[in-house]
Amino acid sequence: MKVLSQNQAFGGMQGVFAHDALSTNCEMTFAVFVPPKAIEEPCPVLWYLSGLTCTHANVMEKGEYRRMAAELGLIVVCPDTSPRGNDVPDELTNWQMGKGAGFYLDATEKPWAEHYQMYTYITEELPAFVAQHFRVDMDRQGIFGHSMGGHGAMTIALKHPDRFRSCSAFAPIVQPSTADWSSGSFEKYLGADRAAWRQYDACALVEDGARFPEFLIDQGKADGFLESGLRPWLFEEAIQGTDIGLTLRMHERYDHSYYFISTFMDDHLKWHAARLA
């Protein structure tokens, strides 16, 4: 593990690290905040998945999570959103595809399949690596994210209800197989057979029988992507008749930015802490 930076914050440590990842076949960077409580005992771990065009740095620098995470005793891990490097395929003029747009899936199509294995990286390789190097209680895990990361968090939770105790999202893409800004990427990553897309679509997973106890979703009503990409009401419709709980909060005048995320970050951390206690 390479230590890229370490800074003291609220009695804990905010670090940025890199390692050679087998699943993505490149070096991956991730951030970890370790609260002061971790000096005494292993702490619950909360995974934050970022959105399109982002890296680990967006939430680390603008998400305002450290004070509350330190108070609640939560380790917060912020992975990158895609593989990186000169050898990694990309579409330089398409922000919805390639670097910064891994969509937390395992690509099956060329040239993407060699590196774009973000689902395996997030669910298998990085957790094993973090457990090896940090004092985490892997029996108490939660996951959340923003936009594309909200999509990733919800689909991963639905597929691993035995692993995660809590899941929440800021402005998630709840049905990426039909959303304007994700369906094209899904076809390039996964091929034209839309049946293969369903395992990475929260609404489709619920329709196919996947279950998770409850979700918290915050969404800004002034979000420019609300109608074409996010559409949280589709998930609300998908869970009708199931035992899945949903707290969906729609906020006047809030947009898609980190001003929105940072406003409600404390609420999400408290939500997870209560379920990871």
Side-chain angles (χ1 to χ4, degrees):
M1 181 172 69
K2 298 179 183 178
V3 180
L4 302 183
S5 67
Q6 288 182 306
N7 298 94
Q8 187 83 359
F10 297 98
M13 184 276 296
Q14 175 66 70
V16 179
F17 309 92
H19 70 126
D20 292 326
L22 296 176
S23 53
T24 58
N25 194 26
C26 67
E27 184 176 84
M28 296 294 292
T29 301
F30 63 98
V32 181
F33 176 72
V34 180
K37 188 177 181 180
I39 298 173
E40 305 168 359
E41 60 186 71
C43 291
V45 58
L46 186 55
W47 304 88
Y48 180 89
L49 306 185
S50 291
L52 282 162
T53 74
C54 293
T55 69
H56 67 281
N58 294 75
V59 68
M60 185 182 77
E61 296 171 356
K62 297 182 286 187
E64 300 181 18
Y65 59 82
R66 278 173 288 272
R67 179 188 61 80
M68 185 56 65
E71 180 180 324
L72 298 171
L74 296 173
I75 292 174
V76 181
V77 182
C78 309
D80 202 348
T81 51
S82 73
R84 307 278 178 176
N86 294 332
D87 297 331
V88 175
D90 194 15
E91 290 189 2
L92 295 177
T93 60
N94 183 3
W95 62 277
Q96 299 167 342
M97 191 71 194
K99 295 177 187 178
F103 277 99
Y104 305 103
L105 51 76
D106 282 350
T108 57
E109 300 297 301
K110 293 181 180 180
W112 313 103
E114 182 180 356
H115 296 281
Y116 286 80
Q117 303 294 310
M118 287 300 294
Y119 177 80
T120 295
Y121 177 70
I122 295 295
T123 61
E124 297 180 20
E125 186 168 5
L126 185 57
F129 194 79
V130 167
Q132 179 183 356
H133 291 280
F134 299 91
R135 298 192 69 186
V136 295
D137 183 351
M138 298 300 281
D139 290 329
R140 293 188 290 165
Q141 297 187 63
I143 190 166
F144 69 148
H146 169 230
S147 194
M148 179 184 73
H151 136 74
M154 292 176 69
T155 55
I156 289 171
L158 283 163
K159 294 169 75 170
H160 297 278
D162 55 334
R163 181 186 305 182
F164 297 99
R165 295 191 186 183
S166 57
C167 180
S168 70
F170 302 97
I173 310 171
V174 301
Q175 195 178 79
S177 61
T178 64
D180 289 351
W181 60 346
S182 50
S183 56
S185 301
F186 270 41
E187 183 166 1
K188 291 177 182 179
Y189 284 136
L190 301 171
D193 183 4
R194 290 178 174 253
W197 305 6
R198 297 183 67 82
Q199 63 182 310
Y200 303 114
D201 184 303
C203 291
L205 282 168
V206 171
E207 292 170 1
D208 293 343
R211 295 292 181 266
F212 195 78
E214 57 183 335
F215 295 90
L216 167 64
I217 295 176
D218 276 308
Q219 173 65 61
K221 288 187 177 182
D223 191 322
F225 302 110
L226 178 59
E227 296 291 338
S228 61
L230 307 173
R231 307 168 298 167
W233 51 84
L234 295 180
F235 189 72
E236 194 172 31
E237 294 169 4
I239 65 171
Q240 293 297 317
T242 74
D243 57 356
I244 298 174
L246 174 62
T247 302
L248 173 58
R249 307 192 303 184
M250 303 293 295
H251 303 281
E252 298 286 351
R253 296 183 297 280
Y254 281 95
D255 57 21
H256 201 68
S257 71
Y258 268 88
Y259 297 110
F260 156 64
I261 295 169
S262 62
T263 299
F264 300 103
M265 178 62 77
D266 281 3
D267 290 354
H268 283 245
L269 294 175
K270 291 175 182 178
W271 164 278
H272 288 278
R275 287 150 183 82
L276 298 175

